[in-house]
Amino acid sequence: MIQPAKRLDTVQEYYFSKKLREVRNLVAAGKPIINMGIGSPDLQPSAEVLSAIANSLQDATAHKYQSYQGLPELRNAISSFYNNKFAVHTNPDDEVLPLMGSKEGIMHISMAFLNKGDKVLIPNPGYPTYTSVTKLVGAEPLFYNLDQANNWQPNLDEIENKLFSDDLTDVKIMWVNYPHMPTGANGTLETYKELVAFGKKHNILIVNDNPYSFILNDNPTSILQIEDAKETALELNSLSKTFAMAGWRVGMLLGNSNLINQVLKVKSNMDSGMFYGIQKGAIEALQISEDWYTNQNKIYKERRALIWQLADKLDTTYDKNASGMFVWAKIPEGKKSEEVTDFVLYEKDIFITPGTVFGSQGEGYIRFSLCVDSETIKKAIARL
């Protein structure tokens, strides 16, 4: 029997891959499951974006291999987008790298900068992929706790002086993610300033994963707004959430040219360029009018208000100032996250996510997705 690589012993199948298979089986058995588990946008991209990809298909170069760095027009659009939205200036020639989704970037960055035995600071709770990718490349995850009392911001003093004081010399990367998934907490410029100083002091690459910038967020921010951030920081972003283009797989990485070039060395050995038409659609999305953001957020606000009603039915509490396309809710004391979500799934036919998926600090919380239309949310409310 052919044996798998030992690296696979360090990771498990992604929770949603396994759980959604169970949900599909329940549906096949006749259960009317309402899926509020994952953040897969159910809204459509704009008509302009769809027209751009359709119109591109007859272009002479549409079906050829594309540049590993993406079309120059796409890099220019990303650079202009960051300038317009965050007042962040980047050179589109060498400080911008289009990606096939920001999740791809997590692997590429890890492969570019981590050696076996290196250590990586990972938020708890946080996106599980940071941990699995760290293990797959042979590095060691070090979890730093986030908590509600500190508005889910990293306590750098605790990290530096209490948790890992003897280990920071081996830390190569620190993952941060604001607006934060799963909690919806916003990053602040003060937090980013402290992170940049921390990264420079300890020679740690700070990577901010920023795909929820414009969902229910009145003040989008970027770590690259901080002076000298490019010396020690990279930022990932994505078109998946903001522009309802999750299946298109379009992301971006921004930072100084040396760091970007190291990631390009990995990427150029792993793909043969992004499909031309998708790049043309992405360019159109990045140039879309402010009306798009307003209309999208109007829909998400309506849904969020209904999700709050659903959360109230489960006696949970939540932060009404949180951003992103989820509601992160604290369950009553004495209950366990998975007990609550399993009860809701098996007794009420509603799939929501237990906070423990995102780490031990997620115990006592559950997460609702806003990627469900209002009428379906009303049905879920009625079931409870």
Side-chain angles (χ1 to χ4, degrees):
M1 180 178 177
I2 297 174
Q3 296 298 312
K6 290 186 180 299
R7 70 175 63 90
L8 293 186
D9 293 340
T10 68
V11 298
Q12 301 295 320
E13 182 182 6
Y14 191 46
Y15 170 83
F16 288 109
S17 173
K18 181 169 55 178
K19 196 68 176 180
L20 288 175
R21 188 162 57 245
E22 180 184 350
V23 169
R24 286 194 296 271
N25 289 337
L26 290 171
V27 171
K31 293 286 188 178
I33 305 295
I34 293 174
N35 186 345
M36 296 183 170
I38 62 173
S40 180
D42 61 314
L43 302 174
Q44 292 293 303
S46 75
E48 298 94 327
V49 168
L50 296 177
S51 293
I53 189 172
N55 294 337
S56 74
L57 299 181
Q58 301 304 319
D59 289 0
T61 60
H63 307 290
K64 296 183 177 182
Y65 287 122
Q66 300 299 315
S67 166
Y68 302 109
Q69 294 174 276
L71 294 170
E73 306 97 286
L74 177 55
R75 296 198 307 275
N76 284 327
I78 292 170
S79 183
S80 295
F81 178 80
Y82 256 71
N83 188 20
N84 294 334
K85 301 300 183 185
F86 300 112
V88 167
H89 303 285
T90 54
N91 183 339
D93 293 332
D94 57 12
E95 292 187 326
V96 173
L97 183 62
L99 302 170
M100 294 180 188
S102 58
K103 190 173 186 179
E104 176 195 63
I106 296 170
M107 175 61 85
H108 290 351
I109 291 166
S110 298
M111 293 184 71
F113 295 104
L114 294 174
N115 295 311
K116 185 175 181 179
D118 285 339
K119 295 175 180 177
V120 180
L121 289 168
I122 296 173
N124 176 16
Y127 185 32
T129 297
Y130 306 142
T131 301
S132 57
V133 167
T134 296
K135 291 179 177 179
L136 283 170
V137 300
E140 178 185 346
L142 298 177
F143 297 100
Y144 64 93
N145 288 345
L146 305 177
D147 58 62
Q148 190 170 2
N150 197 38
N151 194 30
W152 310 103
Q153 306 296 304
N155 186 332
L156 296 178
D157 181 66
E158 182 178 67
I159 292 171
E160 190 171 43
N161 298 314
K162 298 177 183 178
L163 296 181
F164 312 118
S165 57
D166 297 330
D167 296 323
L168 286 178
T169 53
D170 296 324
V171 173
K172 294 286 292 294
I173 292 176
M174 179 178 184
W175 290 101
V176 295
N177 164 220
Y178 292 102
H180 184 247
M181 199 289 296
T183 71
N186 280 304
T188 67
L189 292 179
E190 185 59 32
T191 291
Y192 291 147
K193 184 176 179 181
E194 292 174 358
L195 283 165
V196 168
F198 179 80
K200 291 168 70 174
K201 178 179 179 180
H202 296 287
N203 198 31
I204 296 171
L205 176 63
I206 309 294
V207 187
N208 185 44
D209 190 11
N210 193 9
Y212 298 96
S213 323
F214 301 96
I215 305 296
L216 297 175
N217 186 10
D218 294 331
N219 185 32
T221 56
S222 163
I223 196 170
L224 298 180
Q225 291 174 260
I226 303 303
E227 185 177 3
D228 298 328
K230 289 180 187 177
E231 293 180 20
T232 193
L234 289 169
E235 181 153 292
L236 286 164
N237 213 316
S238 170
L239 275 67
S240 295
K241 316 299 185 182
T242 302
F243 300 105
M245 294 164 60
W248 292 48
R249 310 313 304 139
V250 184
M252 62 196 83
L253 181 66
L254 299 96
N256 79 49
S257 58
N258 177 58
L259 296 175
I260 293 291
N261 191 53
Q262 306 315 311
V263 178
L264 179 59
K265 290 178 185 178
V266 175
K267 177 177 169 55
S268 61
N269 282 287
M270 294 187 72
D271 68 57
S272 296
M274 190 188 308
F275 177 55
Y276 176 86
I278 284 176
Q279 293 189 67
K280 298 296 280 189
I283 292 165
E284 188 68 34
L286 290 165
Q287 297 172 344
I288 207 162
S289 74
E290 288 297 320
D291 288 346
W292 169 262
Y293 305 92
T294 301
N295 292 335
Q296 292 286 101
N297 282 317
K298 181 179 178 181
I299 293 169
Y300 283 127
K301 283 179 182 176
E302 177 183 314
R303 294 179 177 185
R304 184 177 61 181
L306 291 169
I307 290 287
W308 287 341
Q309 292 182 38
L310 186 64
D312 289 339
K313 291 273 190 178
L314 292 170
D315 297 322
T316 67
T317 57
Y318 42 85
D319 179 7
K320 289 191 172 184
N321 295 314
S323 296
M325 54 174 50
F326 304 102
V327 170
W328 179 250
K330 185 173 178 59
I331 61 179
E333 293 292 336
K335 292 188 176 182
K336 298 290 187 180
S337 298
E338 292 193 37
E339 291 175 0
V340 173
T341 56
D342 282 349
F343 168 78
V344 173
L345 176 60
Y346 300 126
E347 300 298 327
K348 303 297 181 180
D349 296 327
I350 303 169
F351 172 45
I352 54 180
T353 306
T356 46
V357 170
F358 309 103
S360 60
Q361 288 290 100
E363 182 59 86
Y365 295 87
I366 56 178
R367 192 194 74 172
F368 302 85
S369 170
L370 300 183
C371 300
V372 188
D373 66 73
S374 293
E375 291 306 310
T376 302
I377 302 173
K378 290 175 184 177
K379 291 178 183 177
I381 294 170
R383 290 184 186 180
L384 293 180

